Amino acid sequence: MAQINIPYEIIDKNTDRGEVDTLSMLVDVKKWIPNERAREYVLKQIKKKSVLEKKYIEKIVDGDIQKIEDTYYNSRIKYADKKHTKYAFSFRCLTSYLTITLAHSTVLGQNEESILSNIKKEMFKHFKINEKYLNNLNNSKRLGRIDYKRDYRYKDEEVYEMIMHIIKIAPEAIVRNNYYKNYKANNERAYIVVYKSKSNRTAEFIIYDKQKERMQKYVNKQISNCSGDEYIDEHFQTIRFEVRILNQKLNALKKQGISKEIASYKNKEMAERLFNFYAEQVFFTEPFYRLDIAKKIIRNSSTVNNNMKIKLCKLLAMINIQGYTYARNKYSQTVKNKKGKKTKNYNKFNNYIKKIRNLGINPLTFKSDLVDYEILDNFTLAENCLKEEALMPFNLENFKKKGNDYYEKL
């Protein structure tokens, strides 16, 4: 009998904690199947199982704006319940690209090799595509989008009110003011807040009430029931924070040397890097304090002089009431740059924010009348969010062949 003692480092590296929600792959069909006759045959198989969708886009041709037909063939592979989509396929005639979108459950606990293997099996069964063509898929695909998520579970309406207040006073714009906060929905049926750029081609940071989303899907008959749903719990509710990395952002990162492969992005390090980049600009990293408690910490500080304590408390109160962006603009100064152009200088504000954060206080505080709580965990930090765990497959034979000291034969 043989026993393999795999070191914790290997297990930890191969443990998928559910950071990736969904992802999409782009397949260059002309590169996938270079032979035109064979390509037309495979596309015919895809189109037979698809729904035709026509759109129109505007393009400048010889100086004139013309409307061009943009045709898609869309198909879905669903789970046994016939409600949830497992894989979605969309072939765009204009570009000859096939987009394959995978549900969360098809990527959890899967590495790039197993994800591709499963896609090929599903395409073989669904579209009846010959395996000799599917075997060429690897060389023509690339990552087109990946979504990272974190779920924060709260237990009562007072905490929900605290979270809503913090979101309300959070910065109105992030990433050098290129991404703006937009309330997509804020009612009994849905709560969605989105930070995105005007082009909406690079990335999005989205906040939404997961329970309301699930209930709405149930009302719309997109899911058959909510019983046993991990997001529907009489004791807890869930707010989701999601960073969507789109194709243009992936292209920009490719120029920095990061290949557009699933393996480059479906890992803990990249998930933390990209999620934190956006989340920290909105919610920082410190815990959230009740305003009166934050002021008390400042007043008791031995590293800040009395005059500065008054200024920091005043700034925290302004942010708490008017919002971060209002306070930032209020504390700014109009100056002229080297070219003589008027611009805003935020050095004073930034210096005050730095002093507040150095005391372990988040600039975003909740209201003093919420007396049941003095502090709230930062709900975007990984350690404060729900975790999923699944062991991703790895090559055990290669591990053994390396003669690793952890491998023992008994």
Side-chain angles (χ1 to χ4, degrees):
M1 179 179 180
Q3 179 177 318
I4 300 171
N5 297 321
I6 303 172
Y8 172 78
E9 292 80 6
I10 298 293
I11 295 175
D12 187 55
K13 186 177 180 181
N14 284 275
T15 298
D16 185 348
R17 292 181 173 84
E19 296 96 343
V20 175
D21 184 24
T22 60
L23 62 83
S24 295
M25 282 187 353
L26 298 175
V27 178
D28 183 342
V29 177
K30 289 183 179 179
K31 187 177 179 181
W32 172 27
I33 309 174
N35 182 280
E36 186 176 354
R37 190 171 179 180
R39 184 167 63 249
E40 287 302 315
Y41 170 76
V42 171
L43 287 175
K44 185 178 179 181
Q45 298 298 101
I46 293 173
K47 290 175 182 179
K48 279 197 300 186
K49 287 277 189 174
S50 301
V51 176
L52 178 65
E53 180 187 2
K54 289 187 178 181
K55 300 179 182 178
Y56 291 90
I57 60 172
E58 291 184 346
K59 294 192 79 173
I60 298 176
V61 181
D62 297 329
D64 297 324
I65 298 176
Q66 294 184 8
K67 279 191 175 182
I68 297 177
E69 187 176 271
D70 199 6
T71 306
Y72 296 78
Y73 286 90
N74 302 322
S75 182
R76 295 177 183 273
I77 298 174
K78 296 190 176 182
Y79 291 98
D81 62 6
K82 305 297 182 183
K83 297 287 183 181
H84 295 82
T85 297
K86 190 175 182 181
Y87 295 94
F89 301 86
S90 180
F91 174 70
R92 188 182 183 188
C93 297
L94 198 64
T95 61
S96 289
Y97 270 85
L98 175 68
T99 301
I100 306 173
T101 303
L102 293 78
H104 174 62
S105 60
T106 64
V107 299
L108 179 65
Q110 304 293 321
N111 60 19
E112 181 166 356
E113 184 181 353
S114 60
I115 286 172
L116 290 172
S117 176
N118 291 335
I119 287 173
K120 291 174 188 177
K121 289 175 184 176
E122 294 292 345
M123 290 179 74
F124 177 77
K125 289 190 291 183
H126 187 67
F127 296 119
K128 312 300 183 197
I129 297 174
N130 194 296
E131 287 186 48
K132 71 177 181 180
Y133 299 124
L134 293 175
N135 289 336
N136 296 329
L137 196 66
N138 292 29
N139 299 324
S140 57
K141 56 89 182 110
R142 66 172 186 262
L143 191 64
R145 168 177 162 175
I146 190 164
D147 299 350
Y148 299 110
K149 68 170 178 66
R150 286 181 189 169
D151 292 328
Y152 182 78
R153 183 160 275 182
Y154 61 95
K155 62 180 180 179
D156 59 43
E157 286 302 313
E158 190 167 11
V159 175
Y160 184 75
E161 186 179 342
M162 291 154 63
I163 295 171
M164 293 302 102
H165 177 75
I166 289 166
I167 293 170
K168 182 180 177 182
I169 66 173
E172 294 295 320
I174 59 171
V175 192
R176 298 177 297 278
N177 291 337
N178 289 322
Y179 290 70
Y180 293 90
K181 180 165 64 175
N182 181 21
Y183 281 84
K184 289 289 186 182
N186 187 10
N187 52 56
E188 291 182 358
R189 302 181 71 177
Y191 179 84
I192 307 170
V193 180
V194 181
Y195 283 85
K196 66 179 181 179
S197 64
K198 289 182 179 179
S199 69
N200 196 30
R201 295 178 180 175
T202 52
E204 295 178 349
F205 180 52
I206 300 173
I207 307 155
Y208 60 95
D209 187 314
K210 191 65 183 175
Q211 184 170 11
K212 287 183 178 180
E213 183 234 16
R214 300 297 290 173
M215 291 301 294
Q216 190 58 45
K217 283 186 175 181
Y218 172 68
V219 171
N220 294 341
K221 297 183 179 180
Q222 292 174 278
I223 55 177
S224 55
N225 63 73
C226 289
S227 60
D229 195 308
E230 62 183 302
Y231 302 106
I232 309 299
D233 190 297
E234 62 177 321
H235 302 295
F236 295 97
Q237 292 175 300
T238 305
I239 292 285
R240 170 163 291 183
F241 301 89
E242 195 170 289
V243 170
R244 298 175 180 175
I245 304 299
L246 310 180
N247 192 45
Q248 191 167 300
K249 180 68 175 179
L250 294 172
N251 287 336
L253 291 169
K254 184 180 179 181
K255 293 177 182 178
Q256 298 177 21
I258 304 171
S259 65
K260 292 179 69 175
E261 301 296 328
I262 294 172
S264 300
Y265 286 88
K266 194 181 182 302
N267 57 70
K268 183 180 177 182
E269 292 75 20
M270 190 58 76
E272 289 185 349
R273 171 184 166 182
L274 292 172
F275 186 95
N276 291 347
F277 175 77
Y278 296 95
E280 288 177 11
Q281 294 193 48
V282 181
F283 298 112
F284 308 96
T285 57
E286 297 78 18
F288 306 104
Y289 284 94
R290 201 171 68 202
L291 177 59
D292 59 311
I293 300 299
K295 286 181 176 181
K296 185 178 179 181
I297 294 171
I298 292 172
R299 293 190 189 107
N300 292 337
S301 171
S302 59
T303 60
V304 181
N305 65 53
N306 290 334
N307 186 44
M308 182 55 68
K309 288 177 182 178
I310 295 171
K311 292 177 180 179
L312 297 184
C313 288
K314 182 181 176 181
L315 175 57
L316 274 183
M318 183 181 290
I319 294 173
N320 182 273
I321 297 168
Q322 302 286 354
Y324 186 90
T325 299
Y326 175 90
R328 183 171 182 261
N329 290 330
K330 203 72 176 175
Y331 276 74
S332 69
Q333 296 174 315
T334 302
V335 296
K336 288 185 179 180
N337 61 20
K338 293 179 180 179
K339 295 182 179 179
K341 186 179 179 181
K342 288 184 178 181
T343 184
K344 292 278 190 180
N345 184 300
Y346 299 101
N347 288 343
K348 181 180 178 181
F349 177 82
N350 293 339
N351 182 47
Y352 285 3
I353 292 296
K354 185 177 180 181
K355 289 180 183 296
I356 290 169
R357 297 186 67 189
N358 283 342
L359 294 172
I361 302 169
N362 196 305
L364 308 176
T365 59
F366 52 92
K367 296 178 181 180
S368 296
D369 58 1
L370 297 169
V371 296
D372 289 341
Y373 294 90
E374 293 186 353
I375 187 172
L376 176 66
D377 291 334
N378 191 311
F379 37 67
T380 60
L381 299 186
E383 58 264 32
N384 297 327
C385 295
L386 293 174
K387 292 178 177 62
E388 297 178 88
E389 290 200 352
L391 190 64
M392 291 193 289
F394 64 98
N395 195 316
L396 186 59
E397 290 304 313
N398 286 345
F399 174 71
K400 292 191 290 186
K401 286 176 184 176
K402 289 178 181 177
N404 198 296
D405 293 337
Y406 294 97
Y407 175 62
E408 296 174 358
K409 200 166 186 177
L410 300 178

